[in-house]
Amino acid sequence: MIPVTRTAAIAVLACALVLPVAVTAPAHAVPKAPAGSVAATAPPAGTPRSTALELPRPTGKYAVGSSVHHLVDRSRKDPWEPAAEARELMATVHYPAARPGPPGARTTAYGTVDEARAMLKGIGFDPAVPAELLAATRTHSRPGALPARGRFPLVVLSPGFSVPRYTMTALAEDLASRGHVTVSVDHAYESFGLSVPGGRLLTCKACTALDVDGVPASVVTATRAKDVSYVLDRITGRHPVWKHSGMIDRKRIGMAGHSIGGASAATAMVNDRRVLAGINMDGAFWDDLPPTGLNGRPFMMMGTDDNVHRPGGIDTTWDRMWPSLDGWKRWLTVAGTDHGAFADFPLIEEHFGLPRAPLPAARSVEVVRTYAAAFFDEHLKRKPQPLLAGPTPANPEVNFHHLP
């Protein structure tokens, strides 16, 4: 049996489950699942693979291109590393491409071996998952592909605490294939390992700050909100870092994030009016909204269907935030999922034979892709989506709460 437990698997992802209420567990601890819960009923580990994972194919009509950028904000100090001269970010742009590449064409790298090794060690997936195999995960985008004609909405994606941006690749590629430009952001010193130019690997100094030094997680969301504003400046500003930035419709920008990345979406919307719509995927909120809420902008919460994120659940921040959301809003929970299900983790767990939540990985990814795309299609493309009106027979795992 592979010596990896569900607790180890999501221990550090659970910054969002460390609630801003009185708790006695350390910041990266996950309580043992009660009998009958998703985690307690997860099937036993399957047979590990000795081959690389391939992400599910994007479902939209466009091929997908990619571009990677190293961004340095010299206007502010890094909050986690006093010796840093500036705030560094890595960003991957996925975009609708004009045509698919030839069979066997090179696809975008998933992550570096150093990044994979650091994350696997940090979340307890090693040695069950070889770093070289995880880094070799096959994607479905091509570096530098010719962009499709037209102008498209932009969606910023922010990953969970301590894990890199590539853990949201399945969603990023799918949104791009459906006609959105996506920018997945890595926030310096907030993941176990971030590869930056010069052969450097930035480690998770924020983990120590939160767990040992008692720094509040609201510093993370505030920092990420500033990161997002800087990314928007560099991607959509007068002197964009990306040569195809003209395909972005600067008046149609949204944001989604996993765990504390999802909480950061709300904070970013408060601080930057350019962000018109947001999704929090299974993250506790660390900032209350101002009296003006989000000034009528739409927001969706999508999380696990358990005693954490159902109304009245352990994460009291969702109940507290709900009345402050003053525009179009939805509160969804997905049965058979766990905290990592809103990123690429079900795919990794299933492929390498790790314990996982009951919902099959492919279906988990499909649900997240479907509802995220519907949300941004409705609010950035102005295309009404009946899927978001309430429960549907085609998606029995998805539960709606507090419908208007």
Side-chain angles (χ1 to χ4, degrees), residues 85-361:
E85 296 181 354
R87 176 68 171 165
E88 288 185 88
L89 305 168
M90 292 298 296
T92 298
V93 180
H94 289 96
Y95 57 92
R99 55 181 178 267
R106 181 171 67 96
T107 57
T108 306
Y110 190 60
T112 70
V113 174
D114 287 343
E115 287 174 328
R117 183 176 294 113
M119 185 191 77
L120 292 169
K121 180 178 179 180
I123 65 176
F125 276 13
D126 69 334
V129 181
E132 292 77 9
L133 284 184
L134 181 61
T137 295
R138 180 171 174 79
T139 67
H140 297 283
S141 52
R142 289 187 301 120
L146 182 69
R149 291 185 178 181
R151 302 186 72 216
F152 303 90
L154 172 67
V155 177
V156 179
L157 298 175
S158 183
F161 188 70
S162 79
V163 297
R165 70 191 186 281
Y166 65 70
T167 58
M168 300 194 75
T169 302
L171 176 59
E173 289 189 334
D174 192 64
L175 286 172
S177 78
R178 297 183 188 224
H180 298 270
V181 176
T182 67
V183 182
S184 304
V185 182
D186 246 323
H187 311 269
Y189 303 107
E190 294 179 21
S191 70
F192 284 121
L194 169 60
S195 295
V196 295
R200 296 173 295 146
L201 186 74
L202 308 185
T203 58
C204 191
K205 299 199 173 184
C207 294
T208 302
L210 268 63
D211 288 355
V212 178
D213 302 332
V215 174
S218 57
V219 176
V220 178
T221 53
T223 299
R224 290 196 179 191
K226 293 178 182 177
D227 291 346
V228 169
S229 291
Y230 181 71
V231 168
L232 294 181
D233 290 343
R234 295 303 309 279
I235 296 292
T236 69
R238 294 182 62 184
H239 303 288
V241 68
W242 182 44
K243 65 180 180 180
H244 299 307
S245 66
M247 71 186 300
I248 296 173
D249 185 340
R250 293 163 175 79
K251 295 182 179 180
R252 295 188 292 168
I253 297 174
M255 179 176 174
H258 174 224
S259 193
I260 206 165
S264 300
T267 307
M269 290 178 71
V270 169
N271 293 331
D272 196 323
R273 293 297 301 271
R274 290 175 293 183
V275 185
L276 301 181
I279 305 176
N280 178 357
M281 295 186 288
D282 212 53
F285 292 97
W286 293 93
D287 306 282
D288 289 329
L289 294 181
T292 54
L294 295 177
N295 296 109
R297 286 168 290 171
F299 200 88
M300 184 166 75
M301 306 185 303
M302 182 165 58
T304 53
D305 186 55
D306 54 19
N307 63 351
V308 176
H309 280 140
R310 293 188 195 121
I314 295 171
D315 183 356
T316 59
T317 67
W318 281 34
D319 287 284
R320 191 176 73 242
M321 185 67 69
W322 182 252
S324 300
L325 298 173
D326 58 332
W328 184 104
K329 58 185 177 181
R330 290 293 183 272
W331 179 332
L332 310 183
T333 56
V334 185
T337 59
D338 61 12
H339 185 57
F342 301 89
D344 291 351
F345 290 99
L347 300 167
I348 298 169
E349 292 165 348
E350 185 173 271
H351 183 81
F352 290 103
L354 302 178
R356 57 184 176 81
L359 191 64

Side-chain angles (χ1 to χ4, degrees), residues 10-19 27-28 161 210 217 259-260 284 286 339:
I10 62 172
V12 217
L13 292 177
C15 184
L17 299 184
V18 184
L19 310 177
H28 284 159
F161 188 70
L210 268 63
S259 193
I260 206 165
W286 293 93
H339 185 57

